[in-house]
Amino acid sequence: MSIRPMVKSALGERNVRVLRQLKRQITGKPAAPVKPTGLDAISHDLSKLAVHFKTDKWGTHRYTRHYQRHLQHLKNEKFNLLEIGIGGYNRAGQGGASLRMWKAFFPNAQIFGMDIQDKSFVDEDRITTFIGDQSDPDSLNAIAEKIGEIDVIIDDGSHRSPHVITTFETLFPLLKDGGIYAVEDTQSSYWPEWMGSEDLDAKDTSMGLLKRLTDGLNYEEFVDESYEPTYTDRNVVGVHFYHNLVIIEKGKNAEGSNKRSALKQRYAKS
């Protein structure tokens, strides 16, 4: 046996590492980088985490690449994330995959989930679940009050238009300025069997609501002087449409307009 294995065997792996570190300090050589392993090795990649935790946000759908783009700025921040719908339906012991994914991606965030079924088996450090009904504003408000300030809301609940609309109308005003609100699986908006509609101009579907937000972004350009801007007109600053996913940015929408100078003839009359 050569001298190196004999020394390693006698000292032990840990002591050998300590001696190597001391040698580098004495000689001035930089320490060799330690390659992350396990979850740490993929913690920067939301899609890989989705595959690891077996959530359909990647695979069945392609949501995680969009979430990474819009939520990357929160990677190491302390904040509260609420997801409506925990998964697993009423099957015992199933659900919670995406909550675990969020926890792994956001190491300093508090992750909250709400479901109409009891999913308390998912609870652990930095993951808290609530029983709630997204079709009931009182239920939604009670949970929001327990959480406090909410920075990110993800609606992955029933996907029925009336429920999506109720949830948005109730929780969006409670979302922090600068926050992100996401609605998943918007395909159901086009399915009458899921309380949607074949009518692409239907006003009472989730997509009908979400498409109206794009007009609201430009409410300052409306020439109807009697128009009163809505809460969302004044507090939505970005709407991003992807396949079956819509991501909404909250903020103060008051950039002003050049319509009076551009439409001098119209406004000369007033």
Side-chain angles (χ1 to χ4, degrees), residues 27 36 53 59 84 90 108 134 142 180 183 186 209 228 237 239 265:
T27 61
F53 288 107
I84 312 295
N90 62 354
N108 298 309
Q134 75 169 133
I180 298 290
V183 181
T186 53
L209 166 71
E228 290 292 332
V237 294
V239 187
Q265 187 172 357

Side-chain angles (χ1 to χ4, degrees), residues 71 74 79-82 141 144 148-154 167-182 231 235-236 238 247-252:
L71 299 177
L74 294 171
F79 71 97
N80 293 333
L81 180 152
L82 170 63
N141 279 316
E149 192 172 68
I150 308 177
D151 302 77
V152 177
I153 298 173
I154 298 164
T167 302
F168 181 79
E169 291 177 344
T170 304
L171 292 184
F172 185 76
L174 305 180
L175 183 67
K176 180 181 175 181
D177 268 4
I180 298 290
Y181 193 109
Y231 179 84
N235 290 279
V236 171
I247 294 178
I248 304 150
E249 299 178 61
K250 186 173 183 181
K252 297 305 179 188

Side-chain angles (χ1 to χ4, degrees), residues 32-44:
V34 178
K35 290 185 178 180
T37 59
L39 275 181
D40 289 341
I42 60 172
S43 63
H44 65 288

Side-chain angles (χ1 to χ4, degrees), residues 92-112:
Q94 293 194 29
S98 61
L99 298 184
R100 299 183 186 105
M101 176 194 72
W102 295 126
K103 176 184 173 180
F105 187 70
F106 297 115
N108 298 309
Q110 294 295 322
I111 310 302
F112 299 92

Side-chain angles (χ1 to χ4, degrees), residues 28-82:
K29 292 182 179 179
V34 178
K35 290 185 178 180
T37 59
L39 275 181
D40 289 341
I42 60 172
S43 63
H44 65 288
D45 191 319
L46 201 52
S47 296
K48 289 181 179 178
L49 288 172
V51 172
H52 174 85
F53 288 107
K54 297 181 173 61
T55 166
D56 68 358
K57 286 178 173 35
W58 183 259
T60 303
H61 304 291
R62 294 289 188 269
Y63 299 159
T64 48
R65 60 185 176 184
H66 306 308
Y67 279 128
Q68 181 132 12
R69 180 183 304 118
H70 291 282
L71 299 177
Q72 182 68 39
H73 66 289
L74 294 171
K75 182 75 174 79
N76 295 304
E77 298 297 318
K78 292 182 178 180
F79 71 97
N80 293 333
L81 180 152
L82 170 63

